[in-house]
């Protein structure tokens, strides 16, 4: 009977640890052509991302002035989340060819090259609206997350290529990770002379994630271990 108790406890612990160590869950939606507003696929991806968070803030860049580096501030669970945005970027206050704000009038434009967001307090969720990404390029954008241990994880944003300079394409990309936290995010523009925009950035810490398994879909291994734990607990009751 002692061995059954220990095995049941091990199954429960393993379920928790597997859930906590899951890789980041990413969210993506794209609209290659719009009428100058965030497209429906982009909006759906953004809304799905936001259902996994509570108490986060959105940076719409309306209060920014001057030039980079830009200091940003987001609400956190216990402390404010300070961020610094720097690189080949500038603040725009009116629409340009293919580019526009998805709220208000201000947005950030990025030219060929890299830019980074660094966080004074580690974060576990991030998302943004992208505008006019994918014209004049033959490769897709790469976003690299660096975690609290200094380990980088790179993601390719699966946007369309050569979409047209005036198509006003929009996309949303984001991630949620209940099992890890990150201190910086780097954007690598694929080059080719592409200038794009982004707006309405969302940042959250691990305490603002409302579901440790985004969208409530657990890993198969988690389901197996949970079933094992429940079965062993049932066996223990029968033996008693």
């Amino acid at each position: 009977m002692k061995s059954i108790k220990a095995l049941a406890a091990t199954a429960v612990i393993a379920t928790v640890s597997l859930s906590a160590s899951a890789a980041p869950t990413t969210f993506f939606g794209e609209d290659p052509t719009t009428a100058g507003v965030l497209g429906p696929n982009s909006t759906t991806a953004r809304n799905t991302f936001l259902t996994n968070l509570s108490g986060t803030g959105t940076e719409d860049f309306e209060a920014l002035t001057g030039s980079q580096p830009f200091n940003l501030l987001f609400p956190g669970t216990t402390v404010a989340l300070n961020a610094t945005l720097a690189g080949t970027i500038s603040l725009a206050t009116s629409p340009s060819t293919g580019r526009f704000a998805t709220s208000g009038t201000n947005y950030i434009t990025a030219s060929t090259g890299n830019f980074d967001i660094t966080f004074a307090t580690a974060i576990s969720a991030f998302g943004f609206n992208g505008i006019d990404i994918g014209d004049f390029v033959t490769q897709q954008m790469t976003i690299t997350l660096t975690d609290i241990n200094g380990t980088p994880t790179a993601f390719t944003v699966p946007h369309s290529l050569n979409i047209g300079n005036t198509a006003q394409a929009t996309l949303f990309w984001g991630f949620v990770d209940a099992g890890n936290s990150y201190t910086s995010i780097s954007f690598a523009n694929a080059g080719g002379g592409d200038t794009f925009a982004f707006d309405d950035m969302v940042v959250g810490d691990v305490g603002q994630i409302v579901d440790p398994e985004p969208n409530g879909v657990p890993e198969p291994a988690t389901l197996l271990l949970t079933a094992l734990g429940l079965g062993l607990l049932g066996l223990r009751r029968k033996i008693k």
Side-chain angles (χ1 to χ4, degrees), residues 1-233:
M1 289 179 62
K2 289 182 179 178
S3 62
I4 292 175
K5 288 182 182 179
L7 187 55
T10 301
V12 173
I13 292 170
T15 300
V16 173
S17 63
L18 275 177
S19 174
S21 62
T25 297
T26 59
F27 303 81
F28 176 78
E30 179 188 43
D31 299 274
T33 303
T34 75
V37 295
L38 190 68
N41 296 329
S42 309
T43 299
T44 297
R46 182 182 180 90
N47 290 341
T48 303
F49 164 79
L50 290 173
T51 61
N52 296 281
L53 303 172
S54 177
T56 56
T58 299
E59 175 59 72
D60 58 12
F61 307 112
E62 295 303 304
L64 290 188
T65 58
S67 59
Q68 64 89 29
F70 297 112
N71 295 316
L72 311 176
L73 188 65
F74 299 87
T77 303
T78 57
V79 298
L81 306 177
N82 293 284
T84 301
L85 175 61
T88 55
I89 57 172
S90 61
L91 178 66
T93 58
S94 61
S96 184
T97 304
R99 298 181 292 279
F100 56 90
T102 53
S103 67
T105 58
N106 289 4
Y107 57 96
I108 296 295
T109 60
S111 59
T112 300
N114 296 355
F115 64 96
D116 305 289
I117 308 169
T118 56
F119 301 95
T121 301
I123 60 104
S124 293
F126 170 82
F128 71 99
N129 296 341
I131 306 98
D132 196 39
I133 297 177
D135 54 348
F136 302 117
V137 294
T138 57
Q139 295 179 330
Q140 292 163 323
M141 176 186 295
T142 300
I143 296 177
T144 301
L145 314 178
T146 300
D147 71 11
I148 54 177
N149 299 311
T151 302
T153 302
F155 295 88
T156 298
V157 180
H159 60 75
S160 300
L161 301 174
N162 299 313
I163 56 174
N165 191 32
T166 60
Q168 297 182 310
T170 67
L171 63 79
F172 175 83
W173 188 92
F175 81 90
V176 172
D177 190 348
N180 202 356
S181 295
Y182 301 86
T183 56
S184 70
I185 300 174
S186 297
F187 290 71
N189 196 339
D194 190 22
T195 299
F196 68 94
F198 73 99
D199 200 2
D200 293 320
M201 181 193 303
V202 178
V203 168
D205 61 31
V206 68
Q208 293 169 310
I209 300 175
V210 297
D211 185 351
E213 295 289 351
N215 300 318
V217 182
E219 295 289 327
T222 301
L223 288 173
L224 177 61
L225 287 171
T226 301
L228 175 62
L230 292 174
L232 289 170
L233 289 173

